[in-house]
Amino acid sequence: MRFWRRTGGCVVSVSAKAVMGLVLALGSASAVMALDLQFSTPGAPDDLRAALRQNSVTVTAADNPETTTQELLAAALADYSRLLATLYDAGYYGGRISLRLNGREAATIALLDAPETLSSVEISVEPGPVFTFGKAELAPLAKHTKLPEGFRPGAVAQVSVIQEAVSAGIEGWRQTGHAKAAVGTQALSADHRKSLLDAAITIAPGERLRFGQMEMTGYERMNPRRLAKIAGFPTGEWFDPDDLDEVRQRLRRTGIFNAVSLVESDTVSPENTLDATLTVAEAPLRRLGFGAELASFDGLDLSAYWLHRNLFGGGARLRVDGAIEGIGGSNGGMDYSLGARIDRPATLGADTSAFVEAEIYRAHEADYISTGARLGFGLEHIFNPRLTGSAALSYGWQDVEDEGGDTTRYSSLALPVGLIWDNRDSVLDATSGYFGELTATPFVGFNNTGTGAQIKGDFRAYRAFGDTKRLTLAGRLQFGKVFGSDLAETPRDYLFFSGGGGTVRGQPYQSLGVDVLDGGTLRTGGTEFLAFSTELRTRITPTIGLVAFYDAGHVSDPGVASDFEDWHAGAGLGLRYLTGIGPIRLDIAQPVSGDTGEGTQIYIGIGQAF
């Protein structure tokens, strides 16, 4: 391969192979000392000048005091093509490029005659006139193919726009089953007198293909039959590149593999089918994790989990979670929980998994102590990368001991059904997108337990402002309601409280509920709940952020005297230290309204509050 460049009134030929020979042939090298670098772009607009300087490896090498003369010569020779590509991408096809080392054109320096010392580097790029498209033709195109707006007569003739148009044309055919669509012919001609570039490109769609067979390699502990079922490769169906992406996503979301590669075959079978090769690299079988969150009044919450990624070699995942909450808190006592869950992917289909879960817990609240357990199983289906649905059948019991020493047992059979929509750009630190979770749980009570249904929702929205997205507005709405079951007959874990880091910061944890008269005043959760939160987040530096927030919540029950004024609210400021695993959060909040506040509240955790 040879590069031809117009430089300083002469045409210079540079061999890429010769450049490599130079780098390999020369052993010792002298360091560049006291280098005078001059970079000029006469007639170039500011944005083009900035792009040329940023893309120049000679500038980068010259800025490094440890660069040798041979390295700087190699950088200069490589720069001819880099600077020319930068001009082409901006629509300049008549430019002149000159790179002089100690006054000599770099491309004319003999391969074994690099100067022993360098004192000056002169880079000059004259862009010439900007070219526009005289002709912009790409055919044939598949139905619904959208070409870039800039690929049209009269627009600036950027190379990147041509490449984008060709990619869109090929992808359009691939989306309709023509997996081997490629460029057929291409004619690019520049008219330097008129500063026009004519582009006429044809695409060869090839035959429409179906998926063939998938060969699997790289697995060790994984059962190949289960691996194929989880992947769900669509053998026999018309080729669609989106189906290949779905296969990759199914395998990645299991957590079993560190790497997943699915590559189409280079050749088409005589039956017009296209095979593919799947290569996986399995992750370590086990993983241990932990978390912590601290609130001034609520105390310290500690949690940990143990994960087995590939139980029995069939892709099932076992996770055991434990938590101790309220350590040193001023409200109630410490809470304990221990749970386990097994997820088995591809149970009723490639996108439907089954799960079994169990949990035991003991909660010390301000007005009662609750001990309970829950066992359930269900299905989870992924409709698309953003929408997930689930349905389960679970049985739970709960013994609640009030302040008077009386114990009430609640037991029920429930059918929770839920949907989750999530298109946020980040789970721990979102700046755009939406999140929504809606769950309906019909339940049948036994003995003293009522029959009814609980519905609850959690909706969040994020929007960043400015080109740098340093300012983000975040909002959250939570609601819940219990139907059909009286307050006294409803299991306590179906009722709603407000206050604390998950609802209203600045107010103590679960400090807002309802009061009932039962031989005295008994505080309990309500059957209706509404809360909203707003945050204004800004980044001061790449690692430091500030947050201003306001939270409010309302809890009530139709059978208990309450009104719209039974709200409480809190507001405050937060500090964020941004890390690779998400921001470390420090929030300081004060009560704003309501009579449940107890002064300043401090919250420390990982990830944004929502």
Side-chain angles (χ1 to χ4, degrees), residues 297-298 325 331-333 335 363-368 370 492-515 523-526 529 555 568 596-598 601 603:
F297 279 79
D298 306 337
E325 300 176 344
N331 296 308
D335 302 337
H364 291 70
E365 305 299 346
D367 298 296
Y368 66 89
S370 174
R492 291 293 177 91
D493 52 3
Y494 286 172
L495 299 177
F496 302 100
F497 289 90
S498 179
T503 52
V504 179
R505 288 162 289 182
Q507 301 286 352
Y509 176 68
Q510 292 192 353
S511 56
L512 182 61
V514 297
D515 295 329
R523 186 173 63 93
T524 184
F529 166 67
V555 176
H568 66 174
T596 58
E598 296 183 14
Q601 306 277 322
Y603 307 88

Side-chain angles (χ1 to χ4, degrees), residues 174 177 179 208-214 232-245 247 262 264-265 269 271-276:
R174 283 173 55 83
R208 193 181 185 199
L209 306 177
R210 293 183 183 272
F211 283 112
Q213 301 299 317
M214 182 180 69
F233 188 75
T235 298
E237 297 183 12
W238 290 113
F239 174 87
D240 188 336
D242 294 342
D243 290 344
L244 297 179
D245 290 337
V247 171
L262 183 61
E264 305 166 25
S265 175
S269 73
E271 295 81 18
N272 274 350
T273 60
L274 187 66
D275 297 335

Side-chain angles (χ1 to χ4, degrees), residues 140-214:
L141 296 178
K143 191 176 181 180
H144 304 307
T145 300
K146 296 185 65 175
L147 297 181
E149 176 65 24
F151 190 71
R152 56 179 174 79
V156 176
Q158 298 175 277
V159 168
S160 59
V161 171
I162 300 174
Q163 295 171 336
E164 186 180 346
V166 171
S167 297
I170 292 175
E171 185 63 20
W173 283 111
R174 283 173 55 83
Q175 290 286 343
T176 60
H178 298 262
K180 295 304 180 182
V183 173
T185 62
Q186 52 183 320
L188 301 175
S189 60
D191 186 336
H192 289 265
R193 293 175 303 174
K194 298 180 180 179
S195 299
L196 294 177
L197 181 74
D198 291 336
I201 305 169
T202 63
I203 295 178
E207 296 291 334
R208 193 181 185 199
L209 306 177
R210 293 183 183 272
F211 283 112
Q213 301 299 317
M214 182 180 69

